[in-house]
Amino acid sequence: MEYIAYVETPYKEKFGIPRQSGLAESTCGEIIFTPKFRNPDAVRGIEEFSHLWLLWEFSRAKQDTFHATVAPPRLGGKEKRGVFATRSPFRPNSIGLSCVKLEKVRIDQKLGPVLTVSGLDLLDHTPLFDIKPYLPYVDAHPEAKNGFAEEFREFQIPVVFPEELQAQIPEHLRGPLLEVLAQDPRAAYNKKPDYIYGMAFADYDIRFTVAEGILTVKEVTRRTQEWKKVK
């Protein structure tokens, strides 16, 4: 198999990435095809669909040893489930699957077709193996069971983000960042009182605390490492 594209997203580190696609609906990114697949004909008709399936690689979660069970963070990192009963990145084959919304298709003189998508849960520069249209009449199953993830379906945490700190973030990134913070980026087993957590989002480092069930942003700083675009 070969990569067909890479995704540019605001998520520069693993910590802070939504646990599933669609949880941070307004977070946008761009799919940039590799040179071999920059023929506009390859995406002809794709704008007829509202959502897409992305088949991608957990490029930073490869392992050589098979583990039959994993400890999902949502279960506190102590209860184990079979690897095929979870969406853990630590799998026999490091393949991920995400459903995203197609926002726009544009043709770039150098990069060819570029797809803007939202609802991402992928690390910046994640490689893609394939893109397929989402078909609601066969892909959507409202009656489906959520298993152990049911209790987290509507989960959100209140966020206090002082206006003077929000002002340091470009306006188009504020909504997506608030959605990410409301998901509580911390692992269930890593919830220390009086601890300052840090996460990277786009070109910014966000520092926050969580006390009595409320997340409070304490500091926003510009990252020293520039966001590298796919060439």
Side-chain angles (χ1 to χ4, degrees), residues 2-48:
E2 60 183 314
Y3 302 145
I4 65 159
Y6 293 85
V7 185
E8 292 182 346
T9 83
Y11 306 121
K12 308 306 173 186
E13 299 172 355
K14 178 182 176 182
F15 184 71
I17 298 178
R19 292 173 175 84
Q20 305 293 340
S21 58
L23 291 179
E25 294 181 345
S26 60
T27 300
C28 289
E30 289 190 330
I31 295 174
I32 311 295
F33 289 91
T34 57
K36 180 179 177 179
F37 301 100
R38 289 178 179 173
N39 186 336
D41 286 342
V43 298
R44 184 190 302 172
I46 200 170
E47 68 280 354
E48 299 173 19

Side-chain angles (χ1 to χ4, degrees), residues 145-163:
K145 297 180 180 180
N146 287 303
F148 67 84
E150 173 64 28
E151 65 179 293
F152 305 107
R153 184 174 61 174
E154 304 294 337
F155 176 83
Q156 283 196 336
I157 188 172
V159 176
V160 175
F161 199 154
E163 291 185 5

Side-chain angles (χ1 to χ4, degrees), residues 113-208:
V114 176
L115 310 182
T116 300
V117 295
S118 62
L120 290 160
D121 61 340
L122 286 77
L123 187 71
D124 185 41
H125 213 73
T126 290
L128 301 188
F129 289 122
D130 205 359
I131 300 170
K132 300 178 186 290
Y134 172 90
L135 302 177
Y137 78 96
V138 290
D139 292 341
H141 299 278
E143 77 286 359
K145 297 180 180 180
N146 287 303
F148 67 84
E150 173 64 28
E151 65 179 293
F152 305 107
R153 184 174 61 174
E154 304 294 337
F155 176 83
Q156 283 196 336
I157 188 172
V159 176
V160 175
F161 199 154
E163 291 185 5
E164 63 273 18
L165 295 180
Q166 283 198 49
Q168 299 181 43
I169 304 290
E171 188 172 356
H172 72 281
L173 291 176
R174 294 174 195 169
L177 176 56
L178 283 168
E179 287 182 336
V180 171
L181 293 172
Q183 293 296 320
D184 191 356
R186 303 172 302 158
Y189 54 82
N190 184 25
K191 296 185 176 180
K192 306 174 184 177
D194 304 320
Y195 186 84
I196 298 179
Y197 297 87
M199 60 169 276
F201 188 83
D203 295 325
Y204 300 87
D205 284 318
I206 314 298
R207 307 289 179 187
F208 64 89

